[in-house]
Amino acid sequence: MADHPVDEKLPPLKMATTGLQHVAAMYAGVVAPPLIVGAAIGLSATELTFLTGACLFTAGLATFLQTLGFWKIGARLPFVNGVTFAGVAPMTAVVASTEDKSDALPIIFGAVIVAGLLGFLAAPVFCKAIRFFPPVVTGTVITLIGISLLPVAFGWAQGPSPTAEDYGSATNLGLAGITLVIVLVLRRFTRGFVKQIAVLLGLVAGTLIAIPFGVTDFGPVADADVVGFPTPFHFGAPQFQVAAILSMCVVMVVSMTESTADMLALGEIVERPADEKTIAAGLRADTLGSALSPVFNGFMCSAFAQNIGLVAMTKIRSRFVVAVGGGFLVLMGLCPMAASLIAVVPRPVLGGAGVVLFGSVAASGIQTLVRASLDKDNNVLIVAVSLAVGIIPIAAPEFYHAFPENAKIILDSGISTGCVAAVLLNLVFNHIGGKGRDAEDVTHPMEAGEEISETSRTAVAP
């Protein structure tokens, strides 16, 4: 009996090229979080290169866990795992609330380790509780992730430092705009592999264009070693702060929810539907990978949705192809010179590409909300209030200024507060007390949910 396409082993050359394609499709997504967090902390170019390499290395290890697996760990589907965007806003909130920035990464790493271990223990239960995270919740949270990250892209577009003389200059904004246009043109007029790596090609082109303007620094590459290893706890032993742990636990719930949705979608695409057992095994791989990642100076890991689209487009379903991609990620993590290449890219160029990258995340959330039955009064209210709560830290950064610093770590993350609001409102409106008004349609959020029956209309008619 022939193997299922998921378990098929392709010829070496095809395995390598298609594995590289998966890496190209998700590379920008893996390196963006360490760039954002590292910049917020104020890491040097060398430290930023190290952090980026560590995230590539741990993404490869997490991908091995998910695709190859062992025991009851790993969905054994063509999943690429890497640093989740959901953790960026809470991590930057931790950085902002930490007086000594050298403690920021140890605090983040400690919180991720605890959240990962708790998530691992909760995986068998969580896969049963997924009914409390319907599209109205997951769509709202994913949309907030994108919206929360867009200000980062706008900041990059203006320059590396708000105190610099050229911050927000026409040159910087022009480079960001040119990079954005290049990415859009590539996405519009190319196909296949080139289209998939449009963001990566945009970063390369934008960097080359920036050279004559004197904003491209090749120093990090010249100073980087060819071979290196992400030394365990390079930035210090993990610290365990309650507020940061709670914040990352919320992110873990978001990550597990998104991964579950991704597993269900991928299972349909590869014609091996993900059952409860598969989802539990996949969540164990996500959470164990996240718990191990900080040991090697990486962040929380989860499935990358863009690679699901790549599987659907190429029709190549082999999990071993993705495992080869994980091998490339590990090799890149062990080569600081390769990891340092991203440090060469000027911030305005990153900003232009970031608009596409982060905007796409928000668009993915909107796509999910399309399936959320927004013709129902309850769901409209859930989305409306949750988005409003989640956008507070972006629209009014000083809104929670009077709250204790520990509380602000959670409150200043729109993703965390928006997720909590969406889950609670979904429970109140769609679960507690029966269906109630569930079935009632509205044509506008401000209209009353109660409809006047035909009998009532007749009764009050003149």
Side-chain angles (χ1 to χ4, degrees):
M1 182 177 178
D3 289 337
H4 189 282
V6 168
D7 300 316
E8 184 182 3
K9 294 181 181 179
L10 306 179
L13 181 59
K14 190 172 185 180
M15 192 93 77
T17 54
T18 49
L20 272 175
Q21 184 169 248
H22 274 285
V23 173
M26 54 87 76
Y27 182 84
V30 173
V31 300
L35 282 174
I36 298 170
V37 177
I41 295 172
L43 296 181
S44 66
T46 303
E47 291 174 323
L48 196 57
T49 296
F50 182 92
L51 186 63
T52 303
C55 287
L56 289 168
F57 179 78
T58 55
L61 296 182
T63 299
F64 285 153
L65 283 176
Q66 194 66 268
T67 54
L68 303 178
F70 68 94
W71 186 55
K72 297 181 179 180
I73 297 171
R76 293 171 175 80
L77 290 171
F79 260 116
V80 174
N81 274 42
V83 182
T84 175
F85 274 111
V88 173
M91 287 191 293
T92 53
V94 170
V95 173
S97 64
T98 305
E99 187 173 343
D100 185 352
K101 300 305 179 188
S102 64
D103 289 334
L105 282 175
I107 291 172
I108 290 171
F109 291 152
V112 172
I113 289 172
V114 173
L117 293 175
L118 291 176
F120 184 86
L121 295 175
V125 177
F126 188 89
C127 67
K128 300 178 186 294
I130 194 62
R131 67 191 184 92
F132 296 114
F133 298 89
V136 69
V137 173
T138 56
T140 300
V141 174
I142 297 170
T143 301
L144 280 172
I145 291 171
I147 293 174
S148 297
L149 292 175
L150 278 172
V152 174
F154 302 149
W156 282 351
Q158 296 178 81
S161 172
T163 59
E165 290 184 5
D166 64 344
Y167 188 73
S169 66
T171 298
N172 287 346
L173 296 181
L175 289 171
I178 290 171
T179 304
L180 174 59
V181 169
I182 291 172
V183 174
L184 293 176
V185 168
L186 289 172
R187 289 290 298 177
R188 174 62 181 86
F189 296 105
T190 61
R191 291 184 176 184
F193 184 59
V194 174
K195 185 174 183 178
Q196 285 296 323
I197 62 172
V199 172
L200 193 60
L201 293 177
L203 291 174
V204 173
T207 300
L208 294 175
I209 293 171
I211 292 176
F213 296 95
V215 295
T216 305
D217 179 17
F218 289 94
V221 177
D223 297 336
D225 296 327
V226 177
V227 179
F229 184 80
T231 314
F233 300 124
H234 174 80
F235 295 97
Q239 299 179 27
F240 303 97
Q241 188 184 90
V242 175
I245 290 172
L246 290 175
S247 182
M248 295 313 295
C249 282
V250 172
V251 175
M252 180 56 73
V253 171
V254 174
S255 177
M256 292 171 74
T257 302
E258 188 175 352
S259 288
T260 300
D262 288 342
M263 276 184 268
L264 293 170
L266 186 59
E268 295 297 323
I269 291 171
V270 302
E271 297 180 352
R272 180 182 277 182
D275 55 17
E276 192 175 290
K277 181 180 177 181
T278 301
I279 292 174
L283 292 178
R284 286 192 189 99
D286 268 7
T287 52
L288 180 60
S290 295
L292 292 175
S293 185
V295 175
F296 298 102
N297 312 286
F299 299 138
M300 187 178 292
C301 297
S302 70
F304 268 50
Q306 56 263 49
N307 292 85
I308 297 175
L310 190 57
V311 171
M313 184 190 73
T314 62
K315 307 297 183 185
I316 296 175
R317 311 175 193 176
S318 172
R319 61 190 173 101
F320 296 106
V321 163
V322 176
V324 169
F328 283 122
L329 289 170
V330 170
L331 291 176
M332 293 171 71
L334 295 175
C335 179
M337 185 173 288
S340 70
L341 290 174
I342 195 65
V344 172
V345 182
R347 289 293 166 80
V349 173
L350 278 173
V355 170
V356 177
L357 195 62
F358 304 152
S360 296
V361 177
S364 296
I366 294 171
Q367 287 178 324
T368 303
L369 285 174
V370 169
R371 308 194 306 270
S373 301
L374 293 185
D375 55 331
K376 307 299 181 186
D377 182 31
N378 291 351
N379 288 345
V380 170
L381 291 175
I382 292 168
V383 175
V385 175
S386 300
L387 285 178
V389 170
I391 291 173
I392 286 175
I394 304 169
E398 299 300 318
F399 190 83
Y400 298 111
H401 73 277
F403 283 72
E405 288 299 318
N406 287 340
K408 285 166 66 177
I409 291 177
I410 298 175
L411 296 174
D412 283 342
S413 167
I415 298 169
S416 299
T417 54
C419 177
V420 171
V423 171
L424 292 179
L425 288 172
N426 180 58
L427 284 172
V428 170
F429 281 97
N430 292 332
H431 290 276
I432 297 175
K435 291 188 176 180
R437 288 153 49 91
D438 270 0
E440 296 179 4
D441 297 342
V442 293
T443 56
H444 190 280
M446 296 304 295
E447 286 187 5
E450 301 294 341
E451 294 184 4
I452 301 176
S453 66
E454 199 60 44
T455 305
S456 300
R457 284 194 183 95
T458 306
V460 298

